[in-house]
Structures are given as structure tokens and as C-alpha cells.
Amino acid sequence: MSILDLRPEQKSSAVKDSIERHLVLGLGKSLKEATLQDWYRATALTARDVVTRRWLNVRPSNKELGKKRVYYLSIEFLIGRLLFSVLTSLDLVDEVREALADFGVSLDDVRKVEPDAALGNGGLGRLAACYLDSMTSVGIPAYGYGIRYEHGLFAQRFRDGWQEEYPELWLKTGNPWELTRPEKEYEIGFGGSVEGAEDNPENPGPAVWTPTDTVIATTHDVPVIGWRGEHANILRLWGARPIDPIRLSAFNEGDYVGAMSAKIQAEAITRILYPNDHTPQGQELRLRQEYFFTAASLADIVRRHMEQVGDIRKLSAFAAIQLNDTHPAIAVAELMRILVDLHGLSWHEAWTITRETISFTNHTLLPEALEKWPVALFGRILPRHLQIIYLINWHHLKNARTKDFADDGFLFRISLIDESGDKAVRMAHLAYVGSHHVNGVSQLHTELLKETVFQDLAKVAPTVIVNKTNGIAFRRWLHEANPALAKLIADTIGDAFMSDPTRLLDLERYATDASFVAQFEKIRQQNKTALAKVVREASNVQLDASALFDVQIKRIHEYKRQCLNLLEAIACYLDIKDEPHRDVLPRVKILSGKAAPGYARAKLIIKLANDIARVVNNDPAVGDKLKVVFVPNYNVSLAEVLIPAADLSEQISTAGMEASGTGNMKLALNGALTIGTLDGANIEIRERVGAENFFLFGMTADQVAEKKQDRVPGGDAVQHSQRLQRVIEALSSGLFSPDDDSRYHPLIADLLVFDPYMTCLDFEDYWRAQREVDAHRRNPAAWWKASILNTARMAWFSSDRAVREYADDIWRIPLSHPGNDR
Ligand code: 26W
């Protein structure tokens, strides 16, 4: 019997019993000696029991119905903390709060000791987590497949304003959410040789691959619960273990170190998350990670299919495999290997099944982010897969040659092998040709995909390019992160919006309702006060919660243009210094985000933010008119504090470069107004919330492309802007870096000469838009109306809507609750 089935008045005491049992019998602690950690674990285990029961209950019905399942393969799942979201979904928050209070323990304290599961870098990883949440809530049977990194994304600290990286230790105290499944482990091979591969590329037969080293993929299941516990799914994360823990022979000969080396090598595969987004490092270990988790996932998918259906030819009727970017693109070759080598299917049959089963999401247009693997390395680690890729390429090019436009240049561009330098496998090409659908993540991004990276492939491969604009899990980003606002909304329009986010639109009517506005504003104020406390503790800066909170939170990257934001901060500072008595609208510039450890320019931008903060925050002439803070160690939990406290959302990437953005959605949903460019999902956000409720500036993607072609130097724009000239002079003089005048000279040189991100060219228009923000803010009725309309009209950006679109158009999975998308 599950706690969920109990009558309301029985629930709390059942929860209490369960927590106590886990504490005493599971953890061996008495009530008296239990630490907060122990209470957290006992509470989490209690919640996990409920979720697991739900999962066991829904699983047989999926099996019986022979339902098609979605397999979402992602090298990152940025899930963050789970306790509160699980309790919210199960509607057990009050019962747990009460039960813990009876023990003299506060749920809010317990909640904070849960480590963040930071198994991702940024947008792509968080999207995977939101989609798994939504698939479960709308009732799509799904498995998420990823890696159980021992160390997630590094912890960020500042020393003298410079970023330093520290290892992340989320598993230090164990992970109460996971269930291990020793009976479902797989052997994953690497290296070795291939025998029996035929020369005939027209109809290649099976081959035998004998790997030299083998690593065991261990199974760690994190149950995922949908809204109100109606559905449940599994996030299956793979760990690595050596096949022979201590090579006994070596051990017996006294070579203890040698004996341990296999163990160390095997475990290294899942040891750490690569902290780069957008610049693949090309290391061997990364390729091993990619193959390891993809191969384990496919082995698991095929095993389940054979157990339940028994006919490999029917795979695509029961399995939709979604590749989250190219990191699992090796799935195309691995599935071919399984079908041809292990199941004896003909090449053509196998290719049809592969293409009917796999689809692929692209998340970036940046050329430097497109994954390529040197052929030599690839062949050493995955010899059979390299053969298969060459065979796929043979058919692909043969088909292309039949087109009259296919000259050598064209074939060169569409080949799965890049031959422009040392030969390399193009993973995006592989994913493209092996998929029935490829999707971009916003309208603009999808259009640009068709015009750029996939322009040539689109002329020859039958793959369909579609758009699936990203979405976010409202349950986490509104209900859980901003419970006071969620409650106000529920009290105002009823709580149906919790399961049907489109109902948020009903809130439009209250945008000018005085009592609603006052409560909305008060909640924002409380959230800002809570954030101010966090900032005081982290950075020792005192914030005035009545100032405008201007927030830019995301990975640090030149194309995201944190630098533009900082140049504006300098301009504001210089203005205040010029006229200290002028009435300016008080503003707090809040930035947060991590830089890839090897990305020197991004780290310099962090240092710049901290340098500006030091000068501005300590200048008595400035007072509360301007503050700048860079909050360290941005992660999901910190985002949950920052987002509900934001008045203004900075979405200022160079147009054409941000595939979608999802932080923009989270901020707008919580009522922040956006200052932004026509980039990624900003365009669609603006269309839906209304142009009058969005501060637009900057060049369009087309204009950016033009300027890039003309190679217009940033210096031109500086000549036309006195303001920007002064900013650059201040920066160059060492005003913010008295200890090192030349610290920012390289940055300035870039801006003036090349300015690839058009920071200078967009500066004046950005300044203008910011002053519009100031003016708007001075009119509270207008401001709050716009803010409330943002919340109401973000309804469409729910990830429930997004996964339903995938289910309808890509996965072809019928839905029990089709939902009424407006
Ligand atoms: C190291 C190789 C590499 C390359 C790209 C690692 C990770 C990536 C990702 C594609 C980076 C990423 O997270 N992209 C973001 O994906 C979000 C979800 O679709 C979008 O909202 C962001 O615009 C996009 O930058």
C-alpha cells in the first residue's frame, strides 16, 4: 500500500513512520543523534519508496499495451535537487513538513542539504531534465539515458576576482534516489580488431569485432515522477566498473599497481563531466564516454525489445530514440552493428530500421561546436564502427552522385569524413543521415540550420528538418522555485494551470487588477529580499531590494555578450560620476555563470565583472544608484533563487548565435521583462508576450551576417559613440584594474579591430533600450502590467507543449491526454 492511497488524515503519520524507519533501520541512527544529512536521506528514501511503487504499478500496463517508448539519449542531465520537486509532484509537501516538524526538524533546512546533481553544463543538459519531467507528466513512456558522473560540473570560487575550479562531490554522502540493478549490466568493448568484413560495399555482410578491453556498464536508476504521481519513468544513468577488478595474476605476482590500473582506467570513463560547452576537446576519454553510454543504452533498448516483442525487425514500432545533440550520434553506427553483426539483418534492412528509429536534435550553429573525431583515433577505439561509417558514407555519396548538381565540392562538403585536414568523422553529418527527423530548437535556429550547416545535406538525404521550440518545466521553474507566486496564481485563477499550463493565460485579466498587482509586486519584493540575503552571504555586498534587479545568468561566452552588459555598467558608472546629484533609477546588475576552465577570454570577462563590482560598490559617490555583483557557483539551485527575484532579464546574444535559450523563458515566466535581441527563442517570446512588453534592441541575424561579410571593425562604431569611447578609455586606463593597467588591453583590441560578436556595433542601441527600461520602471502601473502579462503569456513555453509536439510529429506516439495547446 502506498502513502498516496491513504486518506489525507493518515498520510502525515504514515510519512512520519516511514522517515523514522529509514532513519533507524536504514541509516542506523537514533532520533537524537540524527544530523540534517540523515534527515534528508530518510526523507528522500521515503519519497523514493512512493515513486518506486508508482513506477512498478505503471510499468506492467506499458508492457501489456505494447506501448512505444521514447529513449532520450543525452550525455548531460542537469537535474539539480530532487527532494522538493518529487514532494511537489506527489502533493506531499505539507505532510512531510508536518512529519518533520513533529521531530523538531524543518523541511526548509533539510531541503538545503541535498547536493545539486550537476550532471550537465547548461541549456542542453537542463533541457533533457525538463523534457524527462514533462514526458512523465503528460504520460509518454520514456527512459532517459545518461552518465552517472562521479563529479558533476566543477564548483566555482573566486580568488581576487578570478574564477577557480574545484571538484564537485555530489556523491560524497551517497545518492538516496538511485536504485542499482546488478542484473542489468552490459559489457562494453573498445579497441581490438575486426574479422570477416566483406569488401563488397553494395551489400556488406556481418563482421566479428573482438575488442581488446571491456568495461562493465553498471545501472543506476533514478525514478522520475509525473505531476500528481499519475505516471512514472526512469532516468537510467550508467556507471563504469572493470570486468576484472583486480587482475589476479598481476596481483599474485606482487604487481599491485599494475593490478589496479585496469580498475582505474575503467572507472575513469564515468569519473568526470567535461566542463566545456561549445568547444569539443577531442580527447580520447570523451569519445570513450560517448560510445560507452550510447552502447549501453542501445544494448538495454534492444534487450527490452527482444524480451517484450521478440522481433528485431519491429524495433521502430516500439522505440523512438532521440539523440540530444551529436554526443550520442555514434548510436547510428552502433545500431547498424547490432542489426547486421549481431542479428544478421541485411545492410539495407538494417539501414531502414535505423533511420526509422533514430531522430536528432541540434543545439548549436557555432562551427567550433560541431563534433569531429580524428579518423585515426576513432579507428583505434572503435574499429568496427569506423568501417560501418565508411560504408554508410559510401551509400550516401553514391546516392548523392546521381544528382546533377553534385560536383566535387558538394560531395566534399556532405561527406561523413572531413578531408580538409587530418581526416575526421563529422558527427553531425552522421546523426543527420541516420535520422528520420532532425530538429532545431527555435524557429530562427531551425531556419538557419536549413540555410547553413545542413544546407547541402538537405538536398540529398531524405531526413526531414523540423522545428521544436524549446520549453521549460513549469513545475520546477514556477511552482517550486516561486511557490508564493504559484499560490497567488492558484488562488486567483484556480490550480488547473498546474496540470494544463495553457490556463496561465487566464491571468491576463488581472494585469491591471489593483489587488492582484499589489500582491504580485509584494511577492517579487520578498523574492528579492531572499536573494539579497544570499548575495550578502556569498559576496558581502548589501543590496537594496527596491532597486531594479537586472539579471544575466548563463554560461560565460563571448557570443552571449556579458561584455556588452558590463560596458553598459561602466557607462552608467561614468554618468553617475559626472553628475552625482542627478536622479537615476537605482539598479543592481547581477551576473552569474561559469566559464569553461580552458576558456581564457570568458575567465577574463568574469574578472572584469568582479573588478567593476569592486570599484563601483565601494565608491561612496555611487551609493545605491548602482551595484554590480557576480554571484559565484551558478547552478540549478541558485537559479531557483535568482530567477524569481529578477525584474529585468538580459538576453543579449549576437543575433543568430543563441540556438534558443531557455533561461529567457524561465525569467519571463516569473515576470521579468526581457531586454533582448532578435535571437533564438527571444523572437517567439516577444511575439507571444507582445512587443510592447519586451525591450528590443540590436541588429538582426541577417544584418549581423552582412556586417561580418563586410568585416566592419568595432572601431567604426566607437568613433560614432562618444559614450563608448569614454567607456573604452576608462577600461584601458586601468580605472578598474589599478594593479594591472593592461589587463583589458587584449579585450579592447578585439573589440576595436575585429569585434566578431558585434558588441560595439550594438552598444548604442542597447544603451537606448536600457534607458527605455528606466523610463518604463518609473511608471509602476505600466511595469507591473507588462510583468504580469509576461507570466500569463509564457504559457506556450511549457515543456509539456514541447514534448507533445515531439510525440506527434517526430516520435509518432499517441497520447492519452492530448492537451489543448492554445
Ligand atoms: C563540447 C561539445 C559541446 C558542444 C555543444 C557540448 C555541449 C554543447 C551544447 C550544444 C551546448 C548547449 O547547451 N547548447 C544550448 O542548448 C540549449 C537547449 O537547446 C539552447 O537553449 C541554447 O541556446 C544552446 O546554447
Side-chain angles (χ1 to χ4, degrees):
M1 176 91 159
S2 165
I3 289 175
L4 289 186
D5 304 325
L6 295 173
R7 287 200 305 277
E9 66 276 12
Q10 298 172 313
K11 279 187 184 168
S12 178
S13 80
V15 166
K16 201 174 157 192
D17 289 349
S18 170
I19 293 178
E20 181 168 353
R21 190 166 22 93
H22 278 297
L23 192 73
V24 176
L25 301 178
L27 307 174
K29 288 284 180 86
S30 72
L31 296 181
K32 265 201 197 130
E33 64 188 333
T35 63
L36 264 186
Q37 250 315 318
D38 299 324
W39 287 111
Y40 157 66
R41 287 176 63 85
T43 311
L45 291 169
T46 296
R48 193 190 72 182
D49 289 349
V50 181
V51 178
T52 307
R53 254 185 227 286
R54 273 310 296 158
W55 190 68
L56 290 173
N57 286 342
V58 298
R59 202 178 40 161
S61 73
N62 284 347
K63 256 191 209 175
E64 279 161 27
L65 293 171
K67 277 191 185 164
K68 188 170 183 178
R69 292 190 181 85
V70 174
Y71 296 104
Y72 200 87
L73 270 60
S74 179
I75 202 161
E76 303 188 355
F77 278 90
L78 191 43
I79 49 186
R81 289 177 178 154
L82 291 181
L83 180 61
F84 214 74
S85 78
V86 169
L87 294 180
T88 308
S89 288
L90 295 174
D91 199 16
L92 283 176
V93 174
D94 294 341
E95 286 77 3
V96 169
R97 194 181 291 284
E98 213 175 289
L100 284 171
D102 275 357
F103 292 118
V105 177
S106 134
L107 173 59
D108 295 321
D109 293 343
V110 167
R111 180 183 179 180
K112 284 189 208 128
V113 301
E114 175 170 8
D116 245 59
L119 309 183
N121 274 285
L124 161 137
R126 183 54 230 178
L127 189 78
C130 283
Y131 280 6
L132 200 52
D133 172 310
S134 277
M135 285 191 269
T136 313
S137 283
V138 308
I140 299 173
Y143 279 81
Y145 281 114
I147 297 180
R148 180 184 183 266
Y149 299 105
E150 226 168 286
H151 302 287
L153 189 63
F154 65 87
Q156 176 195 58
R157 287 189 223 154
F158 299 141
R159 184 200 291 255
D160 292 336
W162 294 98
Q163 168 176 297
E164 284 187 341
E165 300 92 27
Y166 290 83
E168 188 282 333
L169 306 166
W170 73 295
L171 291 174
K172 197 171 69 180
T173 47
N175 177 9
W177 297 109
E178 66 183 19
L179 297 156
T180 52
R181 306 256 182 219
E183 76 284 5
K184 293 208 179 90
E185 297 185 337
Y186 299 93
E187 289 185 13
I188 309 299
F190 296 94
S193 56
V194 180
E195 270 171 61
E198 288 171 39
D199 289 341
N200 166 25
E202 192 61 62
N203 187 20
V208 178
W209 172 32
T210 315
T212 40
D213 52 302
T214 302
V215 179
I216 307 276
T218 59
T219 313
H220 306 261
D221 284 354
V222 181
V224 182
I225 191 81
W227 182 240
R228 288 301 172 253
E230 223 178 294
H231 302 278
N233 281 316
I234 289 283
L235 170 58
R236 182 158 283 181
L237 300 175
W238 301 108
R241 164 167 80 67
I243 197 159
D244 177 6
I246 299 180
R247 289 216 311 277
L248 281 173
S249 58
F251 189 61
N252 292 339
E253 284 156 23
D255 178 12
Y256 185 71
V257 173
M260 293 304 285
S261 71
K263 178 171 160 65
I264 291 166
Q265 264 182 34
E267 288 170 351
I269 293 182
T270 57
R271 182 89 67 209
I272 191 158
L273 165 78
Y274 274 93
N276 314 297
D277 63 336
H278 295 109
T279 37
Q281 297 271 289
Q283 280 115 342
E284 177 174 333
L285 188 60
R286 170 74 173 200
L287 180 59
R288 283 179 184 263
Q289 281 187 341
E290 293 185 354
Y291 177 64
F292 178 76
F293 103 93
T294 305
S297 308
L298 283 182
D300 200 40
I301 293 166
V302 170
R303 176 206 39 88
R304 185 174 305 107
H305 177 78
M306 292 310 284
E307 275 173 21
Q308 295 183 6
V309 181
D311 181 354
I312 193 68
R313 290 181 170 81
K314 293 191 178 148
L315 184 67
S316 71
F318 292 89
I321 298 177
Q322 186 70 33
L323 309 180
N324 199 25
D325 218 86
T326 55
H327 319 125
I330 187 66
V332 174
E334 174 69 0
L335 188 51
M336 285 300 285
R337 186 184 75 85
I338 293 173
L339 298 176
V340 174
D341 292 358
L342 307 185
H343 287 265
L345 265 55
S346 78
W347 180 269
H348 295 281
E349 213 176 350
W351 185 240
T352 304
I353 294 171
T354 297
R355 288 197 73 260
E356 282 175 353
T357 308
I358 292 178
S359 49
F360 154 55
T361 306
N362 169 285
H363 293 268
T364 179
L365 293 162
L366 301 191
E368 69 267 30
L370 296 177
E371 277 194 305
K372 276 190 231 162
W373 289 105
V375 162
L377 168 69
F378 205 99
R380 187 158 51 75
I381 298 191
L382 300 169
R384 177 57 178 152
H385 297 79
L386 185 60
Q387 282 179 353
I388 290 173
I389 288 170
Y390 269 102
L391 287 165
I392 295 173
N393 202 30
W394 188 88
H395 286 273
H396 167 55
L397 294 177
K398 179 181 169 218
N399 169 52
R401 277 193 205 95
T402 62
K403 316 285 174 191
D404 48 10
F405 52 80
D407 56 16
D408 283 354
F410 182 83
L411 296 173
F412 193 81
R413 293 196 299 277
I414 62 160
S415 172
L416 304 191
I417 308 295
D418 178 1
E419 304 200 36
S420 57
D422 284 340
K423 282 190 190 174
V425 183
R426 292 170 165 153
M427 299 307 271
H429 283 42
L430 176 63
Y432 185 100
V433 301
S435 296
H436 55 90
H437 282 78
V438 170
N439 75 283
V441 290
S442 72
Q443 269 170 23
L444 174 69
H445 169 62
T446 302
E447 285 317 306
L448 293 174
L449 271 185
K450 291 183 196 163
E451 288 166 20
T452 59
V453 256
F454 296 136
Q455 191 192 30
D456 294 318
L457 282 168
K459 290 185 188 147
V460 289
T463 309
V464 185
I465 305 180
V466 290
N467 177 241
K468 290 285 157 271
T469 298
N470 284 167
I472 56 170
F474 285 15
R475 283 166 292 277
R476 178 170 288 259
W477 296 107
L478 181 60
H479 314 157
E480 198 190 319
N482 202 344
L485 181 56
K487 180 166 184 311
L488 172 64
I489 296 172
D491 290 347
T492 309
I493 59 168
D495 65 3
F497 79 99
M498 300 263 200
S499 45
D500 175 8
T502 60
R503 299 292 295 274
L504 262 185
L505 284 166
D506 297 346
L507 212 58
E508 278 192 13
R509 284 185 284 139
Y510 295 88
T512 52
D513 174 306
S515 138
F516 183 83
V517 172
Q519 294 177 77
F520 190 91
E521 187 179 345
K522 187 168 158 221
I523 289 166
R524 175 77 53 77
Q525 202 60 27
Q526 286 164 351
N527 293 337
K528 287 164 74 174
T529 306
L531 172 58
K533 183 163 173 267
V534 170
V535 167
R536 195 170 57 240
E537 282 159 13
S539 314
N540 201 21
V541 178
Q542 185 73 42
L543 301 183
D544 168 12
S546 66
L548 178 99
F549 277 23
D550 166 348
V551 173
Q552 189 174 24
I553 45 179
K554 49 185 81 244
R555 286 300 285 254
I556 313 300
H557 202 292
E558 287 159 282
Y559 84 81
K560 297 181 188 277
R561 296 200 296 193
Q562 278 91 358
C563 197
L564 179 59
N565 188 0
L566 294 172
L567 295 181
E568 200 251 345
I570 297 177
C572 289
Y573 174 65
L574 297 177
D575 266 13
I576 296 171
K577 296 292 277 180
D578 281 351
E579 291 182 84
H581 300 295
R582 201 165 57 89
D583 175 31
V584 302
L585 189 96
R587 198 187 265 252
V588 182
K589 283 218 181 251
I590 300 166
L591 295 96
S592 197
K594 291 174 182 173
Y599 190 175
R601 179 50 55 86
K603 289 175 127 174
L604 185 65
I605 291 170
I606 294 180
K607 171 65 174 161
L608 174 60
N610 283 322
D611 272 349
I612 297 173
R614 194 192 58 248
V615 172
V616 169
N617 299 345
N618 294 311
D619 189 332
V622 175
D624 277 340
K625 286 181 179 156
L626 180 64
K627 288 271 182 280
V628 178
V629 285
F630 198 113
V631 192
N633 206 33
Y634 185 60
N635 59 17
V636 173
S637 300
L638 185 54
E640 289 170 12
V641 180
L642 286 159
I643 289 169
D647 294 311
L648 185 67
S649 159
E650 299 268 355
Q651 306 302 337
I652 61 179
S653 51
T654 315
M657 304 198 81
E658 188 69 271
S660 162
T662 45
N664 48 4
M665 300 173 188
K666 294 161 198 168
L667 285 152
L669 176 66
N670 280 275
L673 304 194
T674 305
I675 181 164
T677 48
L678 286 177
D679 198 16
N682 292 354
I683 298 174
E684 290 156 79
I685 292 176
R686 179 166 169 270
E687 271 166 19
R688 292 191 185 259
V689 303
E692 67 285 8
N693 302 310
F694 186 110
F695 301 99
L696 179 69
F697 78 96
M699 290 188 278
T700 62
D702 286 344
Q703 290 167 334
V704 168
E706 245 170 62
K707 296 272 182 201
K708 233 181 219 164
Q709 208 146 48
D710 299 349
R711 299 191 125 260
V712 179
D716 281 13
V718 180
Q719 295 224 313
H720 290 109
S721 162
Q722 258 190 6
R723 192 178 309 278
L724 187 52
Q725 261 168 46
R726 288 190 68 205
V727 168
I728 301 238
E729 274 160 26
L731 197 54
S732 154
S733 72
L735 181 61
F736 302 99
S737 53
D739 54 325
D740 177 2
D741 300 353
S742 60
R743 178 172 301 140
Y744 298 111
H745 289 182
L747 196 139
I748 296 167
D750 261 16
L751 289 176
L752 295 181
V753 180
F754 184 40
D755 196 17
Y757 301 98
M758 315 274 153
T759 308
C760 296
L761 284 156
D762 270 346
F763 178 82
E764 272 298 321
D765 202 32
Y766 179 56
W767 175 267
R768 175 202 53 75
Q770 287 286 23
R771 303 297 67 82
E772 235 180 75
V773 171
D774 289 341
H776 208 70
R777 179 74 177 183
R778 287 182 190 274
N779 178 352
W783 182 275
W784 292 110
K785 179 180 171 199
S787 175
I788 293 163
L789 287 179
N790 262 268
T791 299
R793 295 175 178 173
M794 284 303 289
W796 185 79
F797 293 90
S798 159
S799 42
D800 293 1
R801 182 272 313 159
V803 299
R804 282 199 178 102
E805 282 188 11
Y806 278 87
D808 287 346
D809 304 337
I810 299 181
W811 304 328
R812 300 280 149 88
I813 291 194
L815 280 179
S816 37
H817 319 284
N820 46 340
D821 295 342
R822 291 187 212 171

